[in-house]
């Protein structure tokens, strides 16, 4: 565990180094999660507090405020670690761990926004200014290509803040669970994993929710209404969920037909291309709504 403590110290100190921050920032929860599961509460606290003390001392030598900032970042990610670690110890299902960790991190983000507003800060206004400045740095030709007015575009991006927060929380928890579980299983821990991708299946209620959202989108035109904001965040989430379902269907077909798994693996990379993303989401809707798999199995 001493090695994981040292690794955590280096991860924390490197998150403000541009070449490394994109990678190390995504791994912050992994060493702490491993230590929390493998150590008792008292031993974990000793490792954790000593690691933070070293980080605070080293970072304060570089800048007085940096040490406190790094400690704050570490403490921010501690509640989801404790939540996931306790579920690991209870041998809870992977879906339960993922849900609990995501909701905990999402709740912290919401609480942070509330606290900022209570102290007179306006992070959303700062976000608007940052986006406006970023758009203004683009070449004039690039700005003219955008058909939507800049103010309208930035307003829409701010309204999608819940989507960004959910994506941020889900990304961190999925990465942390995937890596930490691999290490813990190799060390002898018995921690349930997800079902094989080919067996993933969304509830049929998601199809009705998706259809309802699409119908409402045709009638709701007021861009500042609560329903419009809800749809603006809900539709991309549902589309992504069904796109992943479409990939799961490809894995199922490859399993039943005994094909090479190259096709579904290529599909994972195509998810980031908008036309392919839409096609996979449509495939996922059909997979959930109709008994396609049962017919393939019977044949």
């Amino acid at each position: 565990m001493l090695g994981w403590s040292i690794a955590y110290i280096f991860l924390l100190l490197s998150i403000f180094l541009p070449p490394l921050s994109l990678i190390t920032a995504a791994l912050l929860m992994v060493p702490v999660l491993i230590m929390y599961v493998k150590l008792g509460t008292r031993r974990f606290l000793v490792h954790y507090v000593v690691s933070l003390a070293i980080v605070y001392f080293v970072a304060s030598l570089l800048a007085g405020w940096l040490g406190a900032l790094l400690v704050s970042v570490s403490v921010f990610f501690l509640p989801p670690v404790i939540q996931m670690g306790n579920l690991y110890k209870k041998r809870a299902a992977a879906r339960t761990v993922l849900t609990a960790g995501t909701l905990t991190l999402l709740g912290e983000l919401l609480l942070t926004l509330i606290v900022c507003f209570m102290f007179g800060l306006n992070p959303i206004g700062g976000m608007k200014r940052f986006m406006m400045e970023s758009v203004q740095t683009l070449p004039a030709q690039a700005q003219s290509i955008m058909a939507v007015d800049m103010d309208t575009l930035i307003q829409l991006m701010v309204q999608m803040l819940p989507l960004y927060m959910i994506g941020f929380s889900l990304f961190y928890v999925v990465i942390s669970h995937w890596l930490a579980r691999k290490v813990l299983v190799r060390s002898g821990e018995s921690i349930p994993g997800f079902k094989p991708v080919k067996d993933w299946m969304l509830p049929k209620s998601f199809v009705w929710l998706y259809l309802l959202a699409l119908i409402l989108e045709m009638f709701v035109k007021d861009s500042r209404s609560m329903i419009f904001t809800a749809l603006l965040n809900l539709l991309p989430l549902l589309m992504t969920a069904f796109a992943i379902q479409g990939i799961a269907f490809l894995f199922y077909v490859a399993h039943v037909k005994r094909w090479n798994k190259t096709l579904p693996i290529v599909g994972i990379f195509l998810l980031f291309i908008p036309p392919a993303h839409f096609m996979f989401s449509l495939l996922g809707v059909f997979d959930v709504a109709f008994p396609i798999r049962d017919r393939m199995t019977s044949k």
Side-chain angles (χ1 to χ4, degrees), residues 124-194:
I124 296 179
M127 181 180 174
K128 284 184 177 180
R129 289 191 297 271
F130 173 76
M131 289 180 178
M132 183 64 74
E133 293 172 358
S134 300
V135 171
Q136 289 175 352
T137 58
L138 296 175
Q141 294 179 348
Q143 295 185 32
S144 62
I145 293 175
M146 299 180 182
V148 184
D149 179 67
M150 287 298 103
D151 292 335
T152 304
L153 179 62
I154 292 173
Q155 179 63 34
L156 291 175
M157 294 174 69
V158 170
Q159 286 179 283
M160 294 179 71
L161 182 61
L163 179 64
Y164 306 148
M165 294 169 65
I166 293 172
F168 172 86
S169 304
L170 194 59
F171 171 77
Y172 263 87
V173 172
V174 168
I175 293 295
S176 301
H177 168 73
W178 179 58
L179 293 175
R181 181 183 173 274
K182 282 184 174 294
V183 175
L184 291 170
V185 168
R186 289 186 179 182
S187 68
E189 298 288 337
S190 177
I191 298 176
F194 284 104

Side-chain angles (χ1 to χ4, degrees), residues 79-104:
V81 164
I82 294 175
Q83 185 75 274
M84 295 170 68
N86 288 333
L87 290 172
Y88 281 161
K89 294 177 182 180
K90 296 176 183 178
R91 305 294 184 261
R95 179 183 294 183
T96 304
V97 175
L98 184 67
T99 303
T102 303
L103 291 178
T104 303

Side-chain angles (χ1 to χ4, degrees), residues 82 94 106 155 184 193 213 231 274 284 294 298:
I82 294 175
L106 183 60
Q155 179 63 34
L184 291 170
L231 292 174
D294 295 338
S298 62

Side-chain angles (χ1 to χ4, degrees), residues 197-230:
V197 179
K198 65 181 179 64
D199 296 330
W200 291 1
M201 180 64 68
L202 290 171
K204 285 193 176 182
S205 58
F206 274 50
V207 176
W208 296 111
L209 182 62
Y210 191 33
L211 290 175
L212 177 62
L214 289 174
I215 293 171
L216 286 175
E217 186 188 28
M218 293 187 293
F219 296 99
V220 178
K221 301 301 181 182
D222 184 6
S223 61
R224 296 186 180 275
S225 66
M226 291 294 295
I227 299 178
F228 183 89
T229 302

